[in-house]
């Protein structure tokens, strides 16, 4: 004959297993349907705490508007009449500095130098730092402190004036546009020419202005 069926009652405490009528513990787990997690729907690109997060597409870049500039327009925006005189009264302090100037150090000369260490060079000292070219120089009173540029070893170009740059005759606007057609301020043709003009106006050693070729 068939045996008496065993009934399993749910455990109301832990809801994990049932107890048989005869006191035996059943190993069959009881799963609460309310504890079943809902599947996560994946979103595009990224997901934060299980919730889909849609990354918006990047905004379109503005289309630059071409500006027509006459070919004979000046390549400069700086007013050369506003430039002061050179700060360098002499490249070296040996033999003394000219009047209205003093011997100072050039921190761009490759060594850490203080003005006090150069002061003695104008009074006859011949050892360091006075024996190192470009390390001490004579700074003219009343000028911006702009140290001398390193020497190139060639003479100043004689084909231009005191404010000559290569933008006057060599580097034309058409040449620049062919090299950098999408250039924008401050990296434009005028920006480059202004930078060269400003540098050359404050240095006796010119950028792109030395030699005869």
């Amino acid at each position: 004959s068939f045996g008496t069926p065993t009934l399993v009652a749910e455990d109301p405490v832990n809801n994990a297993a049932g107890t048989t009528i005869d006191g035996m513990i059943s190993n069959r787990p009881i799963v609460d349907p309310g504890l079943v997690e809902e599947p996560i729907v994946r979103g595009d690109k990224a997901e934060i705490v299980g919730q889909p997060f849609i990354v918006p597409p990047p905004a379109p870049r503005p289309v630059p508007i071409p500006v027509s500039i006459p070919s004979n327009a000046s390549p400069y925006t700086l007013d050369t009449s506003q430039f002061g005189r050179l700060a360098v009264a002499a490249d070296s302090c040996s033999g003394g500095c000219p009047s209205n100037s003093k011997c100072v150090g050039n921190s761009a000369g490759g060594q850490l130098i203080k003005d006090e260490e150069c002061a003695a060079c104008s009074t006859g000292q011949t050892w360091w730092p006075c024996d190192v070219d470009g390390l001490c120089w004579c700074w003219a009173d009343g000028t911006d402190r702009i140290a001398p540029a390193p020497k190139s070893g060639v003479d100043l170009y004689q084909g231009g004036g005191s404010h000559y740059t290569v933008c006057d005759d060599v580097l034309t606007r058409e040449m620049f546009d062919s090299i950098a057609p999408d250039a924008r301020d401050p990296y434009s043709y005028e920006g480059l020419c202004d930078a060269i003009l400003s540098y050359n106006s404050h240095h006796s050693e010119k950028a792109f202005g030395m030699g005869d070729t």
Side-chain angles (χ1 to χ4, degrees):
S1 64
F2 296 101
T4 302
T6 301
L7 299 179
V8 179
E10 292 183 1
D11 185 348
V13 178
N14 53 34
N15 200 23
T19 304
T20 60
I21 298 299
D22 55 4
M24 299 297 292
I25 302 299
S26 172
N27 293 327
R28 181 173 61 85
I30 298 176
V31 179
D32 187 348
L35 299 180
V36 177
E37 297 182 358
E38 294 294 332
I40 298 175
V41 179
R42 299 293 178 181
D44 183 27
K45 300 294 184 182
E47 184 176 306
I48 300 177
V49 196
Q51 298 298 322
F53 177 74
I54 308 301
V55 178
R61 298 180 60 184
V63 178
I65 301 175
V67 178
S68 178
I69 301 177
S71 59
N72 60 347
S74 172
Y76 313 106
T77 64
L78 299 179
D79 183 2
T80 57
S81 65
Q82 302 299 315
F83 294 144
R85 57 195 177 96
L86 293 179
V88 182
D91 294 330
S92 173
C93 300
S94 299
C97 287
S99 59
N100 299 320
S101 68
K102 61 180 179 180
C103 186
V104 295
N106 181 8
S107 298
Q111 299 184 38
L112 183 62
I113 187 70
K114 298 179 180 179
D115 292 347
E116 296 79 11
E117 295 171 320
C118 285
C121 299
S122 60
T123 59
Q125 179 173 307
T126 57
W127 56 92
W128 189 93
C130 311
D131 58 346
V132 180
D133 291 339
L135 202 53
C136 299
W137 60 287
C138 297
W139 176 24
D141 296 342
T143 63
D144 294 332
R145 184 166 176 167
I146 302 177
K151 293 294 184 181
S152 63
V154 296
D155 295 331
L156 182 67
Y157 173 61
Q158 300 299 318
S162 58
H163 297 295
Y164 166 80
T165 80
V166 290
C167 297
D168 292 342
D169 52 11
V170 177
L171 182 60
T172 63
R173 188 182 302 274
E174 290 76 17
M175 183 185 299
F176 179 88
D177 290 342
S178 66
I179 298 172
D182 298 325
R184 295 291 181 269
D185 287 333
Y187 309 108
S188 60
Y189 178 63
E190 288 79 4
L192 174 61
C193 295
D194 279 346
I196 300 173
L197 176 62
S198 178
Y199 181 91
N200 287 352
S201 298
H202 293 93
H203 295 87
S204 57
E205 189 80 17
K206 312 297 183 181
F208 314 113
M210 307 299 292
D212 54 3
T213 58

